[in-house]
């Protein structure tokens, strides 16, 4: 009987890993917080809120590899410019992209690491229902930002500047909080800075690559290894999220340009608040 129970639990863990990978692979490209929605899913299936937050950050590695593959040409251009980089030409020509990624990533770390320590500790003190409700509030906040963005006229800028690097990097650091959309916040900041939408999405997703890898590394250091997941389910979740992410990124980026995602944020946030209340009452 003990062996049967162990097998059943193993199968359930693999199923959760597959579903988590699918959720991450799809919602990563939408400005509705993949971390918040994945944390929500993991909490609903019984994961401790603190562990759910760590897992959500760790599983971004799969979609990070998808983004790196999708934007491989831009990454190569940035790498090629590194040997000829000079401080006085940091934001000129091909140097601009490499300077943007490096400086913005440093700003993300300065803002995000203290928030991460606070968020994991705070989440671990919450019940599942309260945590779900908090995610809902943060999702609605993202929706408010997206709604405000609709009144801003689109610009024509394409190349990043020093100010953009500092601003967007700091904004991305705030997205360490579950429910705050990384892509929504950084894309919004770039659009407010008068970038044309395709350039804003490109710069946002390129910046996500070092940020996601850094967040995963920070999570593993804080958890002392894989955060609450066995090696096999971890690999399965990463592979599934990577494959699904690569297959959906092009189509979903086209959707992003057409659908008012403030409405999606409001809908998901409202459901999370209602669901969190129900869970708190039941538990």
């Amino acid at each position: 009987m003990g062996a049967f129970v162990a097998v059943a639990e193993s199968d359930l863990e693999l199923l959760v890993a597959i579903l988590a990978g699918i959720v991450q692979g799809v919602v990563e490209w939408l400005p509705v917080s993949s971390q918040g929605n994945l944390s929500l899913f993991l909490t609903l299936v019984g994961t401790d809120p603190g562990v759910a937050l760590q897992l959500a950050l760790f599983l971004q590695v799969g979609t990070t590899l998808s983004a790196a593959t999708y934007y491989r040409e831009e990454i190569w251009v940035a790498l090629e410019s590194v040997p000829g980089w000079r401080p006085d030409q940091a934001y000129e020509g091909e140097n601009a992209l490499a300077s943007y990624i490096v400086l913005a990533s440093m700003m993300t770390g300065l803002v995000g690491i203290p928030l991460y320590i606070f968020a994991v500790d705070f989440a671990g003190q919450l019940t599942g229902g309260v945590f779900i409700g908090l995610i809902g509030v943060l999702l609605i906040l993202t929706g408010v930002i997206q709604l405000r963005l609709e009144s801003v006229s689109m610009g024509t800028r394409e190349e990043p500047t020093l100010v953009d690097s500092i601003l967007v990097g700091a904004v991305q650091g705030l997205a360490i909080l579950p429910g705050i959309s990384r892509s929504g916040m950084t894309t919004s900041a770039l659009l407010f800075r008068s970038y044309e939408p395709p350039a804003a999405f490109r710069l946002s997703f390129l910046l996500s690559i070092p940020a996601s890898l850094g967040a995963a590394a920070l999570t593993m250091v804080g958890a002392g290894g894989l955060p609450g997941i066995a090696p096999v389910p971890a690999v399965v979740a990463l592979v599934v999220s990577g494959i699904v992410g690569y297959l959906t990124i092009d189509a979903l980026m086209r959707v992003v340009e057409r659908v008012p995602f403030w409405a999606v944020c409001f809908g998901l946030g409202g459901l999370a608040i209602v669901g969190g209340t129900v869970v708190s009452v039941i538990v």
Side-chain angles (χ1 to χ4, degrees):
M1 174 64 88
F4 176 78
V5 171
V7 171
E9 290 180 348
S10 177
D11 289 343
L12 178 60
E13 192 173 20
L14 282 175
L15 176 60
V16 171
I18 292 171
L19 293 175
I22 292 173
V23 171
Q24 172 63 28
V26 172
V27 300
E28 173 63 23
W29 319 123
L30 306 178
V32 293
S33 178
S34 63
Q35 181 188 336
N37 284 287
L38 187 53
S39 296
L40 177 60
F41 166 76
L42 291 169
T43 302
L44 288 174
V45 297
T47 305
D48 175 78
V51 175
L53 175 57
Q54 292 178 318
L55 275 173
L57 289 170
F58 172 73
L59 292 181
Q60 290 180 350
V61 172
T63 44
T64 296
L65 296 176
S66 299
T69 303
Y70 188 81
Y71 288 109
R72 57 189 179 277
E73 293 183 4
E74 286 85 349
I75 294 173
W76 181 249
V77 169
L79 291 174
E80 282 188 323
S81 69
V82 171
W85 187 90
R86 298 291 182 276
D88 59 336
Q89 300 176 346
Y91 286 91
E92 295 180 9
E94 295 180 350
N95 289 337
L97 183 58
S99 299
Y100 163 77
I101 293 174
V102 172
L103 181 56
S105 297
M106 292 173 61
M107 287 300 303
T108 295
L110 287 174
V111 174
I113 291 176
L115 275 179
Y116 167 80
I117 296 172
F118 164 78
V120 171
D121 181 64
F122 184 60
Q125 299 176 24
L126 299 178
T127 63
V130 174
F131 183 67
I132 292 171
L134 178 60
I135 290 175
V137 172
L138 293 174
L139 281 170
I140 289 177
L141 175 60
T142 298
V144 171
I145 294 173
Q146 293 292 311
L147 180 59
R148 176 66 183 87
L149 182 62
E150 290 208 340
S151 64
V152 179
S153 59
M154 298 297 100
T156 58
R157 294 181 57 207
E158 296 184 10
E159 297 301 325
T161 65
L162 175 62
V163 174
D164 298 327
S165 301
I166 295 173
L167 174 63
V168 179
V171 165
Q172 180 170 255
L174 297 175
I176 197 76
L177 297 173
I180 297 296
S181 166
R182 189 212 62 79
S183 62
M185 292 290 284
T186 54
T187 301
S188 297
L190 288 163
L191 290 175
F192 273 118
R193 291 283 295 162
S194 299
Y195 278 81
E196 61 178 14
F201 289 123
R202 177 177 64 90
L203 291 173
S204 171
F205 290 130
L206 282 171
L207 190 57
S208 75
I209 296 172
S212 297
L213 292 176
L218 182 63
T219 298
M220 293 184 68
V221 170
L226 293 175
I229 189 172
V232 172
V235 172
V236 169
L238 291 177
V239 170
V240 170
S241 66
I243 293 174
V244 173
Y246 186 80
L247 293 176
T248 56
I249 183 172
D250 187 60
L252 290 177
M253 281 190 66
R254 287 197 296 268
V255 172
V256 164
E257 297 177 2
R258 294 176 173 83
V259 177
F261 276 99
W262 59 266
V264 179
C265 290
F266 283 165
L268 291 175
L271 288 174
I273 293 174
V274 172
T277 302
V278 171
V279 170
S280 296
V281 172
I282 293 177
V283 175

